[in-house]
């Protein structure tokens, strides 16, 4: 389908470009945010900080901006892109189609404070927590990406991949 026709196709949704951060502290714990459906706090999950690119910002710029907005953490060493993932999920009354880039980052700053959440984020983010790889492996909660525990274990054992790994598409 030509690009012009795709733009006019009412059934075609725009794919949101997203930068996410796999933030590790000195003990190799990963920071996850605790989210839930805005109108149903019982529908909950854990996810990495990050969000959509704004204007002409790069994925790297978006990753750092989102990290500050969602966690207040500013002392970060941003590393390479670890993984890329396409996903589609319902949230806040609509379907979101995303192309996500996951950056490795390290910090010694472990205190968090959400400093600039959007209105939707204020209604749907319930806090954050540092997780060990073992805790993630044992977790019964929903975590995105769904194979994060294994991905984190491989990252800690083998280091970052030479090129970004393309993860399986997740459709919820």
């Amino acid at each position: 389908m030509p690009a012009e026709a795709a733009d006019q196709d009412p059934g075609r949704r725009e794919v949101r470009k997203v930068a996410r951060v796999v933030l590790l502290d000195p003990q190799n714990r990963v920071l996850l945010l605790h989210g839930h459906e805005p109108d149903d706090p019982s529908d909950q999950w854990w996810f990495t900080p990050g969000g959509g690119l704004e204007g002409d910002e790069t994925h790297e710029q978006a990753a750092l901006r989102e990290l500050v907005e969602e966690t207040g953490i500013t002392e970060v060493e941003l590393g390479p892109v670890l993984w890329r993932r396409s996903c589609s999920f319902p949230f806040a009354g609509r379907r979101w189609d995303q192309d996500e880039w996951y950056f490795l980052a390290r910090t010694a700053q472990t205190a968090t404070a959400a400093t600039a959440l959007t209105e939707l984020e204020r209604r749907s983010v319930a806090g954050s927590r540092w997780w060990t790889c073992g805790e993630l492996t044992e977790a019964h909660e929903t975590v995105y990406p769904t194979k994060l525990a294994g991905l984190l274990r491989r990252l800690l054992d083998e280091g970052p991949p030479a090129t970004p790994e393309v993860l399986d598409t997740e459709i919820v």
Side-chain angles (χ1 to χ4, degrees):
M1 177 181 303
E4 302 81 29
D7 292 341
Q8 296 171 6
D9 181 355
R12 183 174 169 88
R13 294 183 300 267
E14 183 176 333
V15 175
R16 181 175 183 237
K17 294 179 182 177
V18 171
R20 298 209 163 278
V21 181
V22 178
L23 184 63
L24 301 178
D25 73 359
Q27 290 77 44
N28 285 327
R29 296 180 304 168
V30 64
L31 182 67
L32 297 180
L33 302 180
H34 190 201
H36 58 82
E37 195 53 52
D39 297 323
D40 183 5
S42 69
D43 184 2
Q44 55 188 305
W45 55 87
W46 292 89
F47 63 103
T48 57
L53 277 63
E54 294 180 356
D56 61 353
E57 76 183 343
T58 65
H59 283 85
E60 293 85 352
Q61 291 167 331
L64 292 171
R65 175 185 51 75
E66 287 283 342
L67 191 61
V68 170
E69 291 174 0
E70 295 176 346
T71 70
I73 294 177
T74 57
E75 300 167 21
V76 175
E77 178 186 322
L78 191 64
V81 177
L82 299 170
W83 315 306
R84 288 196 55 190
R85 174 180 85 138
S86 294
C87 60
S88 180
F89 55 91
F91 175 69
R94 66 171 271 216
R95 177 151 292 274
W96 300 73
D97 297 317
Q98 298 189 160
D99 173 35
E100 300 180 334
W101 292 26
Y102 288 80
F103 286 87
L104 173 61
R106 293 198 171 268
T107 188
Q109 182 184 347
T110 57
T112 62
T115 58
L117 297 180
T118 66
E119 186 273 332
L120 180 57
E121 288 169 333
R122 283 191 299 277
R123 292 178 33 228
S124 62
V125 177
S128 62
R129 175 182 161 195
W130 291 95
W131 293 73
T132 66
C133 192
E135 289 169 334
L136 269 181
T137 301
E138 299 294 320
H140 295 289
E141 293 97 337
T142 301
V143 176
Y144 294 111
T146 55
K147 296 180 181 176
L148 183 59
L151 292 165
L152 182 59
R153 171 54 40 218
R154 190 166 69 231
L155 171 66
L156 296 175
D157 289 347
E158 301 173 12
T163 59
E165 179 183 351
V166 177
L167 305 180
D168 291 339
T169 297
E170 290 190 46
I171 300 174
V172 179

